[in-house]
Amino acid sequence: MNKRAVIRVLGFLLGVTSLGLLAPALVSALYRDGDEWSFLATAAIGAALGGLLWRLGSSAREIHVREGFAVVTLGWLTVGLLGGLPAWFSGQIPCFTDAVFESISGFTTTGASILADIESRSHGLLFWRSLTHWFGGMGIVLLALAILPLLGVGGMQLFRAEVPGPLHERLTPRISQTAKLLWGVYVLLTVLEAAALRLAGMSLFDAICHAFATMATGGFSTRNASVGAYANPAIHWIIIVFMFLAGTNFTLHYLALRGKLRAYTRDDEFRFYFSVIAIAFVLISLPLVLQQVYPTLEQAARHGLFQTVSIMTTTGFVTADYLLWPPVAHAVLLVLMAVGGCAGSTGGGIKVVRLLILFKAAKSELQKLLHPRAVTTLWFNGRAVPAQLATNVLGFLLLFMLIYIAGIVVLTLSGHDLLSAVGATAATLGNIGPGLGSVGPVENYAHFLGWEKWLLMFFMVVGRLELYTVLVLFLPEAWRRT
Amino acid sequence: MKIVIIGGGAVGLDLARNLSATDNDVVLVEQDAGVLQQAQEVLDCRFVAANGVSPAALSEIGMSDCDLFAAVTNRDEVNIIACLTARKLGAKVTTARVRDEDYYLGGHTVFPEIDLAINPDHEAAHRIREILFRAGAREAYLFAGGRVLVVAATVEPDSEVVGKSLRDLNTESGGAIALVTALDRAGQTVIPHGDTVLAAGDTVYFTGTRRLVDRSLFSLYAQRESLQRVMIAGATAMGVELARDLVAARVKVKLVDPDPERCRQASEQLHHVLVLNSDPVDFAPLIDEGIGEMDGYVAVGADEEINILCCLLAKRHGVRRTVCLVNRADYVELLPQLGIDAAISPRKATAVAIARFVKRGAIVSAEQLGFSNAEILQYRVAKDHLAVGVPLAKLGFPRGAVIGAVIKRNGVETPGGRTVLKPGDEVLVFTLPAVLPEVERFFTAERDRK
């Protein structure tokens, strides 16, 4: 591995993050919170460290497979650590572990918080939490690629390592151009949502923060009761729509903006994504209606749909405490936690396309029982899928389940009840945020021990970078010289 | 006439044989010296061992006096580049064999330099589809992008049309019947007229739009084909194309091939087709796959003896319709006696199509009827042609030939005595070999007079 090239790119990423830190400093100054110095100090540290790494490193014109994995994983870790410093410096989160937990939860768009009282924090910090979501949603490395044509070759390696999904499509011949287009769509949707929320009656600050958190499928809110704090149904509906869009492949949005609206209905994954949400919505809302949990049909439908879309897209906003709902809701939501968004979206989880490919593979295995001599091919979006992909996806699912089970075993060993252990693992590995049991929608992660929090942070990064990118670095040959 | 053929494969050799039989100077270009060696023993033409796309080699052969350049190797790119090069060097007419769907745009490619693109597998697959969908059909030919259909069917002894004249048939149906443009009786092909009386065992050629042809076949067989399940043996280019065609028509298709690699490739091209890796002659696994419930069975493997054997076995297991790919004329004659419903010979068709194209004139396409020497020629009526504006009855059209259909820009007309041709119309002419020169003169002579 060309370690010096990796070091240089890391320096660059730190520099970009430092620039990002100027935004919350400005917000703090505007609202006279008095903690703008913590952001500026962090930015200075980031810039200095970034500059140092940049000098230490060597030309990064060539990034190959191994460097790509290292850059993305280490980049997420260093940026995550840096992002935790302001809250720690200003004393708003006095424990270093907690501060980093909040930052990594932000960048990985998980939205799991250790804060019990969010509303008492400074505007600057709340803005920074939402901004970490927004940076992490489309990918910090991708952002860097979009801003600067830093890399000649190897951009695709980074793109592949950071953008979710088993299949990667380039919209344009140049990867930096593709990155720009995806970021463009992302910015456009964020602006639209912020405007819509503002019109629906939210304050401008809340509207922007919620738009950041929605489009990144993050889940940090500026209110203790999350989106449930807003009584206006219009706000709920707006956020439902944008969560749904954020969980869709952004390539489709891009095509739709170019006038190809049929791209949605033609996409196998989108259709499956839509059907899963529709089925889960019925399974969750029907008991709510039958058991008259809510006084009106609209409320049952709205709260049912909000929680369904929020968990499925791995956003993690809540408008109601679903732990008080009938048990079938818990079961369905637990399944949705694992499914996650579409490939190429900002959502986490296993991804809809992987499940779809596995279903197709399972169907073709069944078919082979009936027709022993059949030669089958998997089809996705009207094209034959390489046979290797099914194996790759199967391996992914196996690893995902192994980590999931390991997480549950370790957390129960440490004394948590089964429901909480399952909830916490699923919610961090799937980048969702709220889980079940003691980490339910009205609870937080403050009660976990220090080392448990680091474990959950590891799950968040592993989940966000889709296992392989991180896990491959545990192979010794990844670090050897080529 | 000087003709240069690139590619000494089955198509190239067939073409060389056909063209050198008449008064042509044929040059066969092939890279493989071994293939040339074998060809030299059976063909009377000049042989050049060279790369057919090499400008140097083509110049040496002489392109400026080349009347027809035919590139028929099994590689599309080679054929296309060879044609472009030959045209650049002065070849008058170029034709390329193009198999890839991407390149083949129904008789053409994106290059105007290539006068005719032929895709034998494609054409044959479409024909098989038309045969399968029609009870009693033995042969099928498509013209004008499928707007005109020619279907051959045999008159059964118990058919109610036996003993009726064509004129009677036409009046009975109120004119809503396809023209009978040729008739095979006891191995002899004739062009029928109104008084011709149908007899049991005749093979009649119906010509017209799909609707008319289907109605005529129904009057002959009083049954409609319901095609739901078809098994294809041989994942060749033709087999794959046919499977694609049938699936598009909502038929359930099973494709069988003994070669695992070919199966894999086929399954990657065909959605909704069950591809089976199995020897088509080994019927035990195919019985498990329900061969007895198939409505149709098509054998299009590379080996024609195996194709025949497969069809016979399929017939034995109760398949209703069987179609067989056979290239040897003496085998084709056997098929009806063996109970095989139809034969397809794409190589022959290719050779005929290219050979007719030589007499460039106004010919659009050409086909040979079955294995007789009667031909179907598609002519475009020139602006200054003597037939323009004159009713057909007064044209003095050569005896032994008949116009089967008039293809206008916006529809297909069944010709009658009062039909008048306009410039740009295309006519489908059925002709016996004896009057072929006369027909050719009829459609080209006026051009010379001007």
Side-chain angles (χ1 to χ4, degrees):
Chain A
M1 186 185 294
N2 184 352
K3 293 186 184 105
R4 293 185 63 197
V6 173
I7 286 173
R8 172 162 272 207
V9 182
L10 289 181
F12 176 72
L13 287 176
L14 281 175
V16 172
T17 317
S18 298
L19 280 178
L21 276 160
L22 298 179
L26 195 69
V27 172
S28 258
L30 277 176
Y31 283 92
R32 301 183 198 287
D33 292 331
D35 64 343
E36 53 270 30
W37 62 272
S38 67
F39 296 107
L40 292 175
T42 312
I45 293 174
L49 199 61
L52 185 71
L53 291 180
W54 180 266
R55 289 294 297 273
L56 281 178
S58 62
S59 168
R61 290 223 69 85
E62 292 209 359
I63 288 281
H64 296 296
V65 186
R66 301 150 187 243
E67 288 83 12
F69 291 130
V71 161
V72 172
T73 307
L74 297 177
W76 278 74
L77 290 178
T78 42
V79 168
L81 285 172
L82 188 73
L85 294 181
W88 188 48
F89 285 163
S90 67
Q92 297 193 66
I93 303 178
C95 169
F96 178 70
T97 300
D98 284 355
V100 175
F101 186 92
E102 202 76 2
S103 163
I104 289 201
S105 167
F107 277 116
T108 57
T109 75
T110 305
S113 181
I114 46 86
L115 293 175
D117 183 15
I118 297 164
E119 286 158 24
S120 68
R121 311 294 147 161
S122 75
H123 285 85
L125 184 62
L126 294 182
F127 186 76
W128 176 237
R129 286 193 343 144
S130 305
L131 197 61
T132 54
H133 270 338
W134 199 66
F135 281 160
M138 195 44 98
I140 1 177
V141 180
L142 195 65
L143 175 63
L145 281 176
I147 302 173
L148 278 186
L150 170 76
L151 305 161
V153 288
M156 192 63 192
Q157 302 302 344
L158 298 179
F159 186 65
R160 217 176 269 156
E162 194 181 45
V163 176
L167 299 154
H168 292 97
E169 253 180 277
R170 283 173 181 226
L171 293 168
T172 57
R174 283 206 175 273
I175 205 73
S176 63
Q177 192 69 25
T178 302
K180 272 191 197 115
L181 289 176
L182 292 178
W183 265 91
V185 174
Y186 189 48
V187 170
L188 180 73
L189 287 173
T190 310
V191 170
L192 283 178
E193 188 191 350
L197 289 176
R198 179 73 192 86
L199 283 177
M202 253 193 202
S203 74
L204 185 61
F205 179 80
D206 284 4
I208 292 175
C209 286
H210 281 92
F212 280 167
T214 314
M215 284 319 297
T217 68
F220 278 155
S221 175
T222 53
R223 297 300 195 87
N224 288 342
S226 189
V227 178
Y230 303 93
N232 185 356
I235 287 177
H236 297 178
W237 286 111
I238 290 168
I239 292 181
I240 289 176
V241 168
F242 280 92
M243 286 194 295
F244 179 76
L245 293 178
T248 309
N249 190 338
F250 274 63
T251 309
L252 297 181
H253 293 321
Y254 172 73
L255 292 174
L257 285 173
R258 295 281 306 270
K260 295 174 191 157
L261 275 171
R262 291 183 62 190
Y264 292 118
T265 48
R266 274 195 201 142
D267 189 64
D268 284 352
E269 184 186 20
F270 182 81
R271 286 203 304 256
F272 193 61
Y273 170 63
F274 190 86
S275 335
V276 171
I277 288 182
I279 293 167
F281 166 60
V282 172
L283 285 176
I284 288 177
S285 291
L286 204 60
L288 293 183
V289 174
L290 293 179
Q291 302 186 15
Q292 296 180 326
V293 179
Y294 292 98
T296 68
L297 200 64
E298 191 268 346
Q299 278 186 29
R302 173 157 48 87
H303 290 303
L305 188 60
F306 192 99
Q307 267 47 241
T308 304
V309 174
S310 171
I311 297 295
M312 168 90 175
T313 62
T314 76
T315 308
F317 279 145
V318 284
T319 57
D321 185 358
Y322 53 73
L323 289 183
L324 304 177
W325 288 357
V328 60
H330 308 165
V332 173
L333 289 176
L334 191 64
V335 173
L336 293 187
M337 281 184 189
V339 176
C342 297
S345 75
T346 60
I350 292 171
K351 301 285 174 316
V352 176
V353 61
R354 289 211 175 84
L355 287 180
L356 190 57
I357 286 174
L358 284 179
F359 278 136
K360 290 185 180 202
K363 192 183 149 199
S364 108
E365 288 303 317
L366 286 179
Q367 207 181 18
K368 274 185 191 161
L369 289 179
L370 278 180
H371 307 281
R373 282 159 194 263
V375 179
T376 53
T377 302
L378 300 184
W379 288 77
F380 181 72
N381 277 349
R383 256 183 277 165
V385 174
Q388 204 191 335
L389 190 73
T391 325
N392 179 301
V393 170
L394 209 60
F396 181 90
L397 193 76
L398 182 73
L399 272 176
F400 193 92
M401 294 320 288
L402 278 179
I403 296 175
Y404 191 33
I405 291 166
I408 295 169
V409 171
V410 170
L411 289 181
T412 44
L413 202 61
S414 177
H416 294 276
D417 65 290
L418 181 63
L419 198 60
S420 309
V422 168
T425 313
T428 50
L429 196 56
N431 297 144
I432 296 147
L436 302 168
S438 70
V439 291
V442 294
E443 310 290 337
N444 61 55
Y445 285 74
H447 60 283
F448 279 84
L449 301 174
W451 67 269
E452 290 170 346
K453 284 176 185 155
W454 287 103
L455 180 73
L456 295 179
M457 281 184 244
F458 174 72
F459 286 164
M460 292 181 212
V461 175
V462 167
R464 171 60 181 83
L465 298 181
E466 303 214 298
L467 316 187
Y468 288 141
T469 302
V470 179
L471 297 182
V472 77
L473 296 178
F474 286 91
L475 292 179
E477 50 273 43
W479 297 93
R480 266 181 222 140
R481 262 176 204 291
T482 31
Chain B
M1 186 175 263
K2 179 169 170 181
I3 297 166
V4 178
I5 299 168
I6 307 292
V11 179
L13 290 180
D14 243 43
L15 194 56
R17 187 176 306 122
N18 264 283
L19 293 172
S20 61
T22 49
D23 187 23
N24 293 314
D25 298 332
V26 177
V27 183
L28 184 66
V29 183
E30 162 66 45
Q31 247 175 330
D32 188 337
V35 172
L36 274 187
Q37 193 73 39
Q38 286 185 347
Q40 258 162 358
E41 288 162 22
V42 290
L43 291 176
D44 178 23
C45 44
R46 192 182 143 204
F47 299 92
V48 177
N51 177 1
V53 288
S54 147
L58 292 183
S59 302
E60 206 184 301
I61 293 162
M63 286 294 116
S64 51
D65 59 341
C66 169
D67 298 293
L68 174 72
F69 182 88
V72 291
T73 68
N74 52 17
R75 291 185 53 198
D76 291 355
E77 292 82 358
V78 166
N79 296 341
I80 291 173
I81 295 174
C83 278
L84 296 180
T85 314
R87 172 48 70 81
K88 193 86 189 164
L89 295 173
K92 287 196 190 70
V93 177
T94 59
T95 68
R97 178 183 181 203
V98 183
R99 307 210 286 185
D100 196 312
E101 288 292 295
D102 249 15
Y103 300 137
Y104 183 73
L105 311 171
H108 300 280
T109 59
V110 292
F111 303 103
E113 290 92 342
I114 300 175
D115 299 293
L116 174 71
I118 50 168
N119 186 349
D121 300 313
H122 194 103
E123 300 298 328
H126 290 333
R127 278 187 195 179
I128 297 175
R129 179 194 63 196
E130 301 301 337
I131 292 173
L132 283 175
F133 273 111
R134 286 172 178 81
R138 306 192 60 84
E139 295 164 34
Y141 307 89
L142 294 100
F143 294 91
R147 284 194 287 155
V148 179
L149 200 62
V150 177
V151 171
T154 304
V155 178
E156 303 290 336
D158 52 353
S159 171
E160 52 184 56
V161 300
V162 172
K164 285 181 182 161
S165 75
L166 293 182
R167 187 171 290 123
D168 290 346
L169 267 182
N170 197 26
T171 25
E172 270 175 33
S173 66
I177 193 168
L179 281 187
V180 175
T181 46
L183 197 139
D184 248 6
R185 185 170 290 169
Q188 196 71 30
T189 307
V190 294
I191 302 293
H193 40 82
D195 300 323
T196 306
V197 174
L198 291 177
D202 285 355
T203 299
V204 290
Y205 289 85
F206 290 113
T207 304
T209 58
R210 275 157 201 276
R211 250 188 50 218
L212 282 184
V213 168
D214 284 345
R215 199 174 294 168
S216 315
L217 284 174
F218 187 70
S219 71
L220 212 58
Y221 292 97
Q223 68 180 37
R224 294 212 190 276
E225 187 64 66
S226 89
L227 194 71
Q228 275 157 9
R229 277 176 281 266
V230 170
M231 187 177 280
I232 303 171
T236 52
M238 195 189 302
V240 169
E241 181 62 33
L242 176 62
R244 201 194 316 261
D245 252 26
L246 291 174
V247 166
R250 298 182 177 281
V251 176
K252 287 204 177 80
V253 179
K254 288 182 180 175
L255 182 62
V256 184
D257 197 284
D259 180 46
E261 181 54 26
R262 267 211 300 272
C263 284
R264 195 185 57 75
Q265 283 175 5
S267 96
E268 282 173 10
Q269 291 175 62
L270 300 168
H271 205 176
H272 308 303
V273 169
L274 185 63
V275 181
L276 301 167
N277 180 23
S278 179
D279 190 342
V281 186
D282 178 11
F283 262 60
L286 298 187
I287 291 169
D288 291 338
E289 291 293 345
I291 186 155
E293 292 146 31
M294 293 289 154
D295 300 313
Y297 182 93
V298 183
V300 290
D303 189 323
E304 37 196 301
E305 285 84 4
I306 290 193
N307 287 343
I308 296 177
L309 190 61
C310 285
C311 282
L312 290 178
L313 284 169
K315 204 89 202 170
R316 225 193 105 128
H317 282 91
V319 180
R320 226 151 18 90
R321 312 276 323 270
T322 52
V323 179
C324 187
L325 177 120
V326 182
N327 279 312
R328 283 176 59 170
D330 35 356
Y331 284 174
V332 173
E333 287 167 8
L334 280 177
L335 296 186
Q337 298 167 30
L338 294 174
I340 295 172
D341 297 284
I344 280 286
S345 311
R347 249 192 259 155
K348 178 106 185 168
T350 308
V352 171
I354 292 185
R356 277 300 140 229
F357 207 69
V358 173
K359 302 184 176 68
R360 195 160 178 226
I363 281 205
V364 180
S365 70
E367 294 282 0
Q368 195 156 25
L369 282 189
F371 278 76
S372 72
N373 286 321
E375 288 183 17
I376 317 173
L377 302 170
Q378 187 182 358
Y379 281 103
R380 179 169 295 125
V381 178
K383 201 160 59 181
D384 48 3
H385 193 265
L386 89 161
V388 171
V390 184
L392 288 186
K394 296 185 180 165
L395 261 185
F397 203 68
R399 276 201 160 271
V402 67
I403 293 181
V406 179
I407 303 155
K408 307 240 173 205
R409 182 166 300 165
N410 50 6
V412 176
E413 254 178 52
T414 307
R418 269 171 288 176
T419 305
V420 175
L421 297 180
K422 292 201 186 80
D425 287 353
E426 288 174 4
V427 291
L428 220 54
V429 179
F430 287 72
T431 169
L432 296 180
V435 291
L436 187 56
E438 241 182 292
V439 170
E440 276 167 358
R441 230 174 294 131
F442 181 84
F443 279 98
T444 50
E446 294 319 294
R447 294 153 59 85
D448 300 340
R449 194 186 291 168
K450 265 242 153 151

